[in-house]
Short mmCIF file of all heavy atoms in Angstrom, two decimals:
data_model
loop_
_atom_site.label_atom_id
_atom_site.label_comp_id
_atom_site.label_asym_id
_atom_site.label_seq_id
_atom_site.Cartn_x
_atom_site.Cartn_y
_atom_site.Cartn_z
N ILE A 1 59.03 -22.68 -48.66
CA ILE A 1 57.67 -23.23 -48.48
C ILE A 1 56.59 -22.21 -48.81
O ILE A 1 55.73 -22.48 -49.64
CB ILE A 1 57.50 -23.84 -47.07
CG1 ILE A 1 58.47 -25.01 -46.89
CG2 ILE A 1 56.06 -24.29 -46.85
CD1 ILE A 1 58.57 -25.51 -45.47
N PRO A 2 56.59 -21.02 -48.20
CA PRO A 2 55.54 -20.06 -48.57
C PRO A 2 55.66 -19.59 -50.02
O PRO A 2 54.64 -19.31 -50.67
CB PRO A 2 55.70 -18.91 -47.59
CG PRO A 2 57.01 -19.10 -46.93
CD PRO A 2 57.39 -20.53 -47.09
N ALA A 3 56.88 -19.50 -50.53
CA ALA A 3 57.06 -19.11 -51.94
C ALA A 3 56.41 -20.14 -52.85
O ALA A 3 55.71 -19.78 -53.81
CB ALA A 3 58.54 -18.95 -52.26
N LEU A 4 56.60 -21.41 -52.56
CA LEU A 4 55.98 -22.48 -53.36
C LEU A 4 54.46 -22.45 -53.23
O LEU A 4 53.75 -22.71 -54.21
CB LEU A 4 56.50 -23.84 -52.93
CG LEU A 4 57.95 -24.16 -53.27
CD1 LEU A 4 58.35 -25.48 -52.64
CD2 LEU A 4 58.17 -24.18 -54.76
N TYR A 5 53.98 -22.15 -52.05
CA TYR A 5 52.53 -22.07 -51.84
C TYR A 5 51.92 -21.00 -52.75
O TYR A 5 50.91 -21.22 -53.40
CB TYR A 5 52.24 -21.76 -50.37
CG TYR A 5 50.77 -21.78 -50.04
CD1 TYR A 5 50.16 -22.97 -49.67
CD2 TYR A 5 50.00 -20.63 -50.11
CE1 TYR A 5 48.80 -23.00 -49.36
CE2 TYR A 5 48.65 -20.65 -49.81
CZ TYR A 5 48.06 -21.84 -49.43
OH TYR A 5 46.72 -21.86 -49.15
N ILE A 6 52.57 -19.85 -52.81
CA ILE A 6 52.09 -18.75 -53.64
C ILE A 6 52.19 -19.11 -55.13
O ILE A 6 51.26 -18.86 -55.90
CB ILE A 6 52.87 -17.46 -53.32
CG1 ILE A 6 52.53 -17.00 -51.90
CG2 ILE A 6 52.58 -16.36 -54.34
CD1 ILE A 6 53.46 -15.94 -51.35
N ILE A 7 53.31 -19.71 -55.52
CA ILE A 7 53.47 -20.12 -56.92
C ILE A 7 52.43 -21.16 -57.30
O ILE A 7 51.84 -21.11 -58.38
CB ILE A 7 54.90 -20.64 -57.17
CG1 ILE A 7 55.90 -19.49 -57.04
CG2 ILE A 7 55.01 -21.31 -58.53
CD1 ILE A 7 57.35 -19.93 -56.97
N GLY A 8 52.18 -22.10 -56.40
CA GLY A 8 51.17 -23.13 -56.66
C GLY A 8 49.78 -22.54 -56.81
O GLY A 8 49.02 -22.94 -57.70
N ALA A 9 49.46 -21.56 -55.97
CA ALA A 9 48.16 -20.89 -56.08
C ALA A 9 48.04 -20.14 -57.40
O ALA A 9 46.98 -20.13 -58.03
CB ALA A 9 47.96 -19.94 -54.90
N ALA A 10 49.14 -19.53 -57.83
CA ALA A 10 49.13 -18.81 -59.11
C ALA A 10 48.97 -19.79 -60.27
O ALA A 10 48.21 -19.54 -61.21
CB ALA A 10 50.41 -18.00 -59.26
N LEU A 11 49.67 -20.91 -60.21
CA LEU A 11 49.55 -21.92 -61.28
C LEU A 11 48.14 -22.49 -61.35
O LEU A 11 47.64 -22.80 -62.43
CB LEU A 11 50.56 -23.06 -61.06
CG LEU A 11 52.03 -22.72 -61.33
CD1 LEU A 11 52.91 -23.90 -60.92
CD2 LEU A 11 52.24 -22.38 -62.79
N LYS A 12 47.51 -22.64 -60.20
CA LYS A 12 46.15 -23.17 -60.15
C LYS A 12 45.17 -22.27 -60.90
O LYS A 12 44.19 -22.74 -61.47
CB LYS A 12 45.73 -23.33 -58.68
CG LYS A 12 44.37 -23.90 -58.46
CD LYS A 12 44.36 -25.37 -58.75
CE LYS A 12 43.01 -25.94 -58.36
NZ LYS A 12 42.81 -27.26 -58.87
N ARG A 13 45.44 -20.97 -60.91
CA ARG A 13 44.54 -20.01 -61.57
C ARG A 13 44.76 -19.93 -63.09
O ARG A 13 43.98 -19.28 -63.77
CB ARG A 13 44.71 -18.63 -60.95
CG ARG A 13 44.23 -18.60 -59.52
CD ARG A 13 44.42 -17.22 -58.94
NE ARG A 13 44.04 -17.22 -57.54
CZ ARG A 13 42.87 -16.80 -57.10
NH1 ARG A 13 41.96 -16.38 -57.93
NH2 ARG A 13 42.61 -16.82 -55.81
N ILE A 14 45.82 -20.53 -63.59
CA ILE A 14 46.07 -20.51 -65.03
C ILE A 14 45.28 -21.65 -65.66
O ILE A 14 45.54 -22.83 -65.37
CB ILE A 14 47.57 -20.65 -65.34
CG1 ILE A 14 48.34 -19.49 -64.71
CG2 ILE A 14 47.80 -20.71 -66.85
CD1 ILE A 14 49.85 -19.62 -64.81
N PRO A 15 44.31 -21.34 -66.52
CA PRO A 15 43.41 -22.38 -67.04
C PRO A 15 44.11 -23.50 -67.83
O PRO A 15 43.66 -24.63 -67.81
CB PRO A 15 42.47 -21.61 -67.97
CG PRO A 15 42.61 -20.18 -67.62
CD PRO A 15 43.95 -20.02 -66.99
N LYS A 16 45.20 -23.19 -68.51
CA LYS A 16 45.85 -24.20 -69.35
C LYS A 16 46.83 -25.10 -68.59
O LYS A 16 47.42 -25.99 -69.18
CB LYS A 16 46.56 -23.53 -70.52
CG LYS A 16 45.58 -22.89 -71.48
CD LYS A 16 46.25 -22.48 -72.75
CE LYS A 16 45.18 -21.92 -73.68
NZ LYS A 16 45.65 -21.77 -75.03
N VAL A 17 47.00 -24.88 -67.30
CA VAL A 17 47.90 -25.72 -66.50
C VAL A 17 47.06 -26.79 -65.81
O VAL A 17 46.26 -26.48 -64.93
CB VAL A 17 48.67 -24.89 -65.46
CG1 VAL A 17 49.53 -25.79 -64.59
CG2 VAL A 17 49.51 -23.82 -66.13
N PRO A 18 47.23 -28.07 -66.21
CA PRO A 18 46.47 -29.14 -65.55
C PRO A 18 46.90 -29.29 -64.08
O PRO A 18 48.06 -29.05 -63.73
CB PRO A 18 46.83 -30.39 -66.34
CG PRO A 18 47.64 -29.96 -67.50
CD PRO A 18 48.07 -28.56 -67.28
N ASP A 19 45.97 -29.71 -63.24
CA ASP A 19 46.25 -29.85 -61.81
C ASP A 19 47.40 -30.82 -61.52
O ASP A 19 48.16 -30.61 -60.59
CB ASP A 19 44.99 -30.31 -61.07
CG ASP A 19 43.96 -29.21 -60.95
OD1 ASP A 19 44.31 -28.03 -61.19
OD2 ASP A 19 42.81 -29.52 -60.62
N TRP A 20 47.52 -31.86 -62.32
CA TRP A 20 48.56 -32.87 -62.05
C TRP A 20 49.96 -32.33 -62.30
O TRP A 20 50.94 -32.88 -61.81
CB TRP A 20 48.32 -34.15 -62.85
CG TRP A 20 48.44 -33.97 -64.34
CD1 TRP A 20 47.44 -33.68 -65.21
CD2 TRP A 20 49.64 -34.08 -65.12
NE1 TRP A 20 47.93 -33.60 -66.49
CE2 TRP A 20 49.28 -33.85 -66.46
CE3 TRP A 20 50.96 -34.37 -64.82
CZ2 TRP A 20 50.20 -33.88 -67.50
CZ3 TRP A 20 51.88 -34.40 -65.85
CH2 TRP A 20 51.51 -34.15 -67.17
N VAL A 21 50.08 -31.25 -63.05
CA VAL A 21 51.39 -30.67 -63.35
C VAL A 21 51.94 -29.87 -62.17
O VAL A 21 53.15 -29.79 -61.97
CB VAL A 21 51.29 -29.78 -64.62
CG1 VAL A 21 52.56 -28.98 -64.85
CG2 VAL A 21 50.95 -30.62 -65.83
N ILE A 22 51.04 -29.30 -61.38
CA ILE A 22 51.44 -28.37 -60.33
C ILE A 22 52.41 -29.01 -59.31
O ILE A 22 53.46 -28.42 -59.03
CB ILE A 22 50.21 -27.74 -59.65
CG1 ILE A 22 49.44 -26.90 -60.68
CG2 ILE A 22 50.61 -26.88 -58.45
CD1 ILE A 22 48.10 -26.37 -60.22
N PRO A 23 52.13 -30.19 -58.75
CA PRO A 23 53.10 -30.75 -57.79
C PRO A 23 54.47 -31.03 -58.41
O PRO A 23 55.50 -30.84 -57.75
CB PRO A 23 52.45 -32.05 -57.32
CG PRO A 23 51.01 -31.91 -57.63
CD PRO A 23 50.92 -31.00 -58.81
N PHE A 24 54.49 -31.44 -59.67
CA PHE A 24 55.78 -31.69 -60.33
C PHE A 24 56.55 -30.38 -60.55
O PHE A 24 57.77 -30.32 -60.34
CB PHE A 24 55.57 -32.41 -61.66
CG PHE A 24 55.11 -33.83 -61.49
CD1 PHE A 24 53.79 -34.16 -61.73
CD2 PHE A 24 55.97 -34.82 -61.08
CE1 PHE A 24 53.35 -35.46 -61.57
CE2 PHE A 24 55.54 -36.12 -60.91
CZ PHE A 24 54.22 -36.45 -61.15
N ALA A 25 55.83 -29.34 -60.96
CA ALA A 25 56.47 -28.03 -61.15
C ALA A 25 57.00 -27.50 -59.83
O ALA A 25 58.13 -26.99 -59.76
CB ALA A 25 55.48 -27.05 -61.77
N LEU A 26 56.20 -27.63 -58.77
CA LEU A 26 56.65 -27.16 -57.46
C LEU A 26 57.85 -27.96 -56.96
O LEU A 26 58.76 -27.40 -56.35
CB LEU A 26 55.50 -27.24 -56.45
CG LEU A 26 54.33 -26.29 -56.69
CD1 LEU A 26 53.27 -26.48 -55.62
CD2 LEU A 26 54.79 -24.86 -56.75
N GLY A 27 57.86 -29.24 -57.24
CA GLY A 27 59.00 -30.07 -56.84
C GLY A 27 60.28 -29.64 -57.54
O GLY A 27 61.33 -29.49 -56.91
N ALA A 28 60.18 -29.40 -58.84
CA ALA A 28 61.36 -28.97 -59.59
C ALA A 28 61.85 -27.60 -59.13
O ALA A 28 63.05 -27.38 -58.93
CB ALA A 28 61.04 -28.95 -61.08
N LEU A 29 60.91 -26.67 -58.94
CA LEU A 29 61.28 -25.33 -58.46
C LEU A 29 61.88 -25.38 -57.07
O LEU A 29 62.85 -24.67 -56.76
CB LEU A 29 60.05 -24.42 -58.46
CG LEU A 29 59.55 -23.97 -59.82
CD1 LEU A 29 58.19 -23.27 -59.67
CD2 LEU A 29 60.55 -23.05 -60.48
N SER A 30 61.33 -26.23 -56.23
CA SER A 30 61.82 -26.35 -54.86
C SER A 30 63.24 -26.91 -54.82
O SER A 30 64.09 -26.40 -54.08
CB SER A 30 60.88 -27.25 -54.06
OG SER A 30 61.32 -27.38 -52.75
N ILE A 31 63.49 -27.92 -55.61
CA ILE A 31 64.84 -28.49 -55.66
C ILE A 31 65.83 -27.45 -56.18
O ILE A 31 66.92 -27.29 -55.63
CB ILE A 31 64.86 -29.78 -56.50
CG1 ILE A 31 64.10 -30.89 -55.76
CG2 ILE A 31 66.29 -30.21 -56.81
CD1 ILE A 31 63.84 -32.13 -56.58
N ALA A 32 65.43 -26.74 -57.23
CA ALA A 32 66.30 -25.70 -57.78
C ALA A 32 66.58 -24.61 -56.75
O ALA A 32 67.72 -24.16 -56.59
CB ALA A 32 65.67 -25.10 -59.04
N ALA A 33 65.55 -24.19 -56.02
CA ALA A 33 65.73 -23.15 -55.01
C ALA A 33 66.66 -23.62 -53.89
O ALA A 33 67.54 -22.87 -53.46
CB ALA A 33 64.37 -22.74 -54.43
N CYS A 34 66.47 -24.85 -53.44
CA CYS A 34 67.33 -25.36 -52.36
C CYS A 34 68.76 -25.57 -52.83
O CYS A 34 69.70 -25.36 -52.06
CB CYS A 34 66.73 -26.64 -51.78
SG CYS A 34 65.25 -26.33 -50.79
N LEU A 35 68.93 -25.95 -54.09
CA LEU A 35 70.29 -26.06 -54.63
C LEU A 35 70.98 -24.69 -54.63
O LEU A 35 72.17 -24.60 -54.33
CB LEU A 35 70.26 -26.63 -56.05
CG LEU A 35 70.03 -28.14 -56.15
CD1 LEU A 35 69.73 -28.53 -57.59
CD2 LEU A 35 71.23 -28.91 -55.63
N CYS A 36 70.22 -23.65 -54.95
CA CYS A 36 70.78 -22.30 -54.92
C CYS A 36 71.06 -21.83 -53.50
O CYS A 36 72.05 -21.13 -53.26
CB CYS A 36 69.82 -21.32 -55.60
SG CYS A 36 69.69 -21.54 -57.38
N LEU A 37 70.19 -22.19 -52.57
CA LEU A 37 70.33 -21.70 -51.20
C LEU A 37 71.43 -22.40 -50.41
O LEU A 37 72.16 -21.74 -49.66
CB LEU A 37 69.00 -21.86 -50.45
CG LEU A 37 67.90 -20.90 -50.84
CD1 LEU A 37 66.58 -21.32 -50.18
CD2 LEU A 37 68.27 -19.49 -50.44
N ILE A 38 71.54 -23.72 -50.56
CA ILE A 38 72.51 -24.44 -49.72
C ILE A 38 73.62 -25.12 -50.50
O ILE A 38 74.46 -25.79 -49.92
CB ILE A 38 71.81 -25.46 -48.78
CG1 ILE A 38 71.06 -26.54 -49.54
CG2 ILE A 38 70.90 -24.75 -47.83
CD1 ILE A 38 70.47 -27.61 -48.64
N GLY A 39 73.61 -24.94 -51.81
CA GLY A 39 74.68 -25.49 -52.64
C GLY A 39 74.36 -26.88 -53.16
O GLY A 39 73.42 -27.52 -52.71
N PRO A 40 75.16 -27.31 -54.12
CA PRO A 40 74.90 -28.62 -54.73
C PRO A 40 75.15 -29.77 -53.76
O PRO A 40 76.02 -29.69 -52.90
CB PRO A 40 75.88 -28.67 -55.90
CG PRO A 40 76.93 -27.67 -55.59
CD PRO A 40 76.31 -26.64 -54.70
N GLY A 41 74.34 -30.78 -53.92
CA GLY A 41 74.49 -31.97 -53.09
C GLY A 41 73.16 -32.65 -52.84
O GLY A 41 72.10 -32.09 -53.12
N ILE A 42 73.25 -33.84 -52.32
CA ILE A 42 72.04 -34.62 -52.07
C ILE A 42 71.19 -33.97 -50.99
O ILE A 42 69.96 -34.08 -51.02
CB ILE A 42 72.38 -36.09 -51.73
CG1 ILE A 42 71.13 -36.98 -51.73
CG2 ILE A 42 73.07 -36.20 -50.39
CD1 ILE A 42 70.53 -37.18 -53.08
N ASP A 43 71.82 -33.29 -50.04
CA ASP A 43 71.05 -32.60 -48.99
C ASP A 43 70.12 -31.55 -49.57
O ASP A 43 68.99 -31.41 -49.13
CB ASP A 43 71.99 -31.94 -47.98
CG ASP A 43 72.70 -32.94 -47.09
OD1 ASP A 43 72.22 -34.09 -47.01
OD2 ASP A 43 73.72 -32.57 -46.48
N ALA A 44 70.60 -30.82 -50.57
CA ALA A 44 69.77 -29.80 -51.20
C ALA A 44 68.58 -30.42 -51.92
O ALA A 44 67.46 -29.90 -51.87
CB ALA A 44 70.60 -28.97 -52.17
N VAL A 45 68.81 -31.55 -52.57
CA VAL A 45 67.72 -32.24 -53.28
C VAL A 45 66.69 -32.73 -52.27
O VAL A 45 65.48 -32.54 -52.45
CB VAL A 45 68.27 -33.40 -54.13
CG1 VAL A 45 67.13 -34.19 -54.75
CG2 VAL A 45 69.19 -32.87 -55.22
N LEU A 46 67.15 -33.33 -51.18
CA LEU A 46 66.23 -33.81 -50.15
C LEU A 46 65.47 -32.66 -49.50
O LEU A 46 64.26 -32.76 -49.25
CB LEU A 46 66.98 -34.60 -49.09
CG LEU A 46 67.55 -35.94 -49.55
CD1 LEU A 46 68.41 -36.57 -48.46
CD2 LEU A 46 66.45 -36.88 -49.97
N GLN A 47 66.14 -31.55 -49.26
CA GLN A 47 65.47 -30.38 -48.70
C GLN A 47 64.42 -29.85 -49.67
O GLN A 47 63.34 -29.43 -49.26
CB GLN A 47 66.48 -29.28 -48.36
CG GLN A 47 67.39 -29.61 -47.21
CD GLN A 47 66.64 -29.82 -45.91
OE1 GLN A 47 65.86 -28.99 -45.49
NE2 GLN A 47 66.88 -30.94 -45.27
N GLY A 48 64.73 -29.88 -50.96
CA GLY A 48 63.77 -29.45 -51.97
C GLY A 48 62.53 -30.31 -51.98
O GLY A 48 61.40 -29.80 -52.05
#
């Protein structure tokens, strides 16, 4: 959660990244991170 917050704040400061892209990017990164942390499965996707 705090890692995503920081990444989202950084993405917000990049002029060429539209605001609507940020939640989708954070969602994808979050799912990937949770898959790495707790292993493959639907639980990891839901946690992401």
